[in-house]
Amino acid sequence: MIVTTVANILVIGSIAFMLWRQEESLLRKVYWPALVLKLFCGIALGLLYIYYYNIGDTFAYYKDGSALANVARSDAEAYIKFLWNGNDAYLIVKSLYLQEPRALFMSKITSIFCLLCADNYWLVSLYLSFVAFSGAWFLVKQLSRIDSIALPAIGAFLFLPSAVFWSSGVIKESIAMASVYFITAVFLKAWMKHPVKLWHWPLVPLALWLLWSLKYYYLAVFLPVTITGLIVKRILLPRFTAIHRWQFTLLIWLVVFTVPLYIASVVHPNFYPERFLGVIVENYRAFAAASPPEDRIVYEHLTPRASSIAFYSPKALASGLFRPFLWEAHNVMQLLVALENLGMLVLFIMALAQWKHMVNSKYRLLIFSAAVYIVLLCIFLALSTPNFGTLSRYRVGFLPFFFLLITINNPLLNKLCAFVQRSWR
């Protein structure tokens, strides 16, 4: 066990060191603090579920992954076949804790790392946290090439507490957010006409597949937004100079957006137009029944009608971004989230003063695309997952992007930075 532990830590450390050596910018200074924080959060997640929650899917993924790893040790061929197309028709599935398709997919991923780590949960956690960190680091490197974005990007994707914590360790969000970050970075390269390395291309379909298999609703919002942005930016704007006024640009964006959004609505049964609203309400009622009133968002008369969803969407958006408030916190975890939410609310209010600068920015189309992604995913998650604890985990899909937008040239942060600089003189 000691040999396995040392060997795996050396592997992670060696890869991390090679990534650090390749970095020549000022980002080198934050690499190791950000990596250590990420690895620590993965370990802390496991400890949280052991001593605070007592139960949780992180250890279910681990136990199921360990069981599948045992299959690999006794029958490698059967294991490989199961990894490729295994479903609930296989007898081994009957003995697993989690049999839902997305959970089973995560257990398969975990089993690969269990083989590498001799079924050591903490080493598996380090590997998955490192994968998530690598995706975030790749995105931050790309964002740092945009004017005045480096520091907000570092804060949003490497140090935002809840986003870093809930995308670490043995949970689906670790792989899902690594995929989101990688796809976003490649999208930005295409947006800004930066060269995409040859080895990045095969990773794009892999990231799309992983994200679809683990968090298909993230991708169902993310992909239409990115495709629309690229079509408008690379195809329409260069050909129609008349639409360069921001009002026309956003209108064209919204018109184009209806096409990929419609395609997304027919690729999964839960997104079929006749089914989608019902899924939201069914999920809401299931969470509401299992959650105390003080620990959830209440939509008293929510029904599977477009008018009802539209009526409660503003409340869902505000709740998904800023709740629980301080007075709604009933335990330590909620208090920590509420404090973070308070900080973001203050930053958001200050950022509103900069809305004209965003509208007139040369990156306004990119900002608008990010805002649409944030708003749609936030509303969907807050309506269908009203429990504060669960929502604080699920919202890592959009929260770093929101934090990035509200911290770019934020007047409050600019004043704080100026004050710190004067104090250091």
Side-chain angles (χ1 to χ4, degrees):
M1 180 61 71
I2 295 178
V3 174
T4 302
T5 300
V6 172
N8 280 284
I9 290 177
L10 286 175
V11 169
I12 295 174
S14 299
I15 298 173
F17 182 73
M18 287 188 291
L19 290 175
W20 175 75
R21 284 187 59 186
Q22 295 174 1
E23 188 55 52
E24 299 178 354
S25 69
L26 294 176
L27 291 177
R28 285 169 64 100
K29 296 181 179 180
V30 301
Y31 180 90
W32 292 111
L35 175 58
V36 170
L37 174 64
K38 192 68 173 179
L39 298 180
F40 172 79
C41 283
I43 299 300
L45 179 88
L47 295 174
L48 178 71
Y49 276 98
I50 290 175
Y51 295 107
Y52 189 81
Y53 289 137
N54 297 321
I55 59 172
D57 50 7
T58 181
F59 287 103
Y61 295 138
Y62 162 68
K63 292 175 182 177
D64 288 349
S66 180
L68 294 177
N70 286 331
V71 173
R73 297 183 183 104
S74 60
D75 191 342
E77 182 179 356
Y79 171 73
I80 293 174
K81 288 182 178 178
F82 183 78
L83 281 185
W84 182 249
N85 62 5
N87 51 42
D88 55 10
Y90 284 69
L91 291 178
I92 181 64
V93 175
K94 307 300 181 183
S95 63
L96 301 180
Y97 290 90
L98 302 174
Q99 301 175 17
E100 187 268 334
R102 285 179 290 138
L104 182 59
F105 188 85
M106 182 62 192
S107 296
K108 291 179 181 180
I109 295 174
T110 306
S111 72
I112 298 173
F113 291 98
C114 282
L115 288 172
L116 293 174
C117 303
D119 296 332
N120 186 313
Y121 171 86
W122 305 107
L123 289 177
V124 174
S125 175
L126 291 179
Y127 269 110
L128 293 180
S129 296
F130 182 68
V131 169
F133 169 80
S134 300
W137 182 255
F138 184 58
L139 176 57
V140 169
K141 286 182 62 175
Q142 185 60 34
L143 285 168
S144 66
R145 302 173 69 177
I146 304 177
D147 303 337
S148 306
I149 298 294
L151 288 178
I154 289 170
F157 298 102
L158 298 180
F159 291 102
L160 183 62
S162 64
V164 174
F165 183 82
W166 288 115
S167 60
S168 303
V170 190
I171 52 176
K172 288 187 289 188
E173 285 75 12
S174 295
I175 302 297
M177 292 313 300
S179 301
V180 169
Y181 294 153
F182 178 79
I183 299 168
T184 302
V186 174
F187 159 74
L188 288 173
K189 285 178 177 290
W191 182 283
M192 295 182 289
K193 298 182 180 180
H194 293 164
V196 179
K197 294 182 179 179
L198 184 62
W199 65 271
H200 290 162
W201 289 111
L203 292 181
V204 171
L206 174 62
L208 290 171
W209 174 57
L210 290 172
L211 185 56
W212 178 256
S213 300
L214 293 170
K215 294 281 184 178
Y216 65 88
Y217 41 88
Y218 284 6
L219 189 61
V221 179
F222 181 86
L223 208 53
V225 168
T226 53
I227 291 173
T228 300
L230 285 176
I231 290 174
V232 176
K233 169 70 174 179
R234 300 294 298 274
I235 299 177
L236 297 181
L237 288 184
R239 288 170 172 76
F240 303 98
T241 56
I243 65 173
H244 277 269
R245 292 184 60 183
W246 71 266
Q247 297 94 331
F248 292 110
T249 301
L250 300 189
L251 179 61
I252 293 298
W253 193 101
L254 291 172
V255 172
V256 175
F257 183 58
T258 59
V259 177
L261 188 64
Y262 172 76
I263 295 174
S265 71
V266 298
V267 296
H268 193 284
N270 282 351
F271 289 132
Y272 291 168
E274 65 276 12
R275 170 75 175 139
F276 178 62
L277 301 184
V279 169
I280 291 178
V281 176
E282 289 173 10
N283 286 346
Y284 167 72
R285 290 173 179 170
F287 275 99
S291 306
E294 67 273 12
D295 291 335
R296 62 181 172 90
I297 308 166
V298 178
Y299 311 108
E300 295 181 352
H301 305 292
L302 184 66
T303 62
R305 295 181 179 179
S307 59
S308 180
I309 298 296
F311 177 80
Y312 285 109
S313 288
K315 181 178 181 179
L317 178 61
S319 299
L321 293 175
F322 305 120
R323 293 178 68 188
F325 299 121
L326 282 176
W327 58 87
E328 294 177 312
H330 297 93
N331 53 57
V332 175
M333 290 298 297
Q334 287 185 358
L335 179 61
L336 294 175
V337 174
L339 288 171
E340 182 183 80
N341 289 341
L342 177 61
M344 284 194 291
L345 179 59
V346 173
L347 289 172
F348 173 72
I349 294 172
M350 296 300 296
L352 290 178
Q354 298 291 101
W355 73 271
K356 287 186 178 180
H357 294 282
M358 291 188 176
V359 166
N360 296 321
S361 168
K362 62 180 178 179
Y363 299 111
R364 61 173 175 258
L365 191 59
L366 193 58
I367 293 171
F368 181 72
S369 298
V372 171
Y373 169 75
I374 293 164
V375 169
L376 291 182
L377 187 57
C378 178
I379 290 174
F380 170 74
L381 291 176
L383 283 172
S384 58
T385 316
N387 178 274
F388 287 138
T390 307
L391 183 59
S392 66
R393 170 178 164 180
Y394 285 8
R395 68 179 188 160
V396 300
F398 64 83
L399 199 64
F401 297 95
F402 175 66
F403 187 82
L404 175 67
L405 290 189
I406 63 176
T407 52
I408 297 174
N409 293 322
N410 189 287
L412 177 60
L413 293 182
N414 290 340
K415 290 179 181 179
L416 287 176
C417 289
F419 174 77
V420 171
Q421 290 175 352
R422 289 195 302 269
S423 301
W424 285 354
R425 291 175 183 174

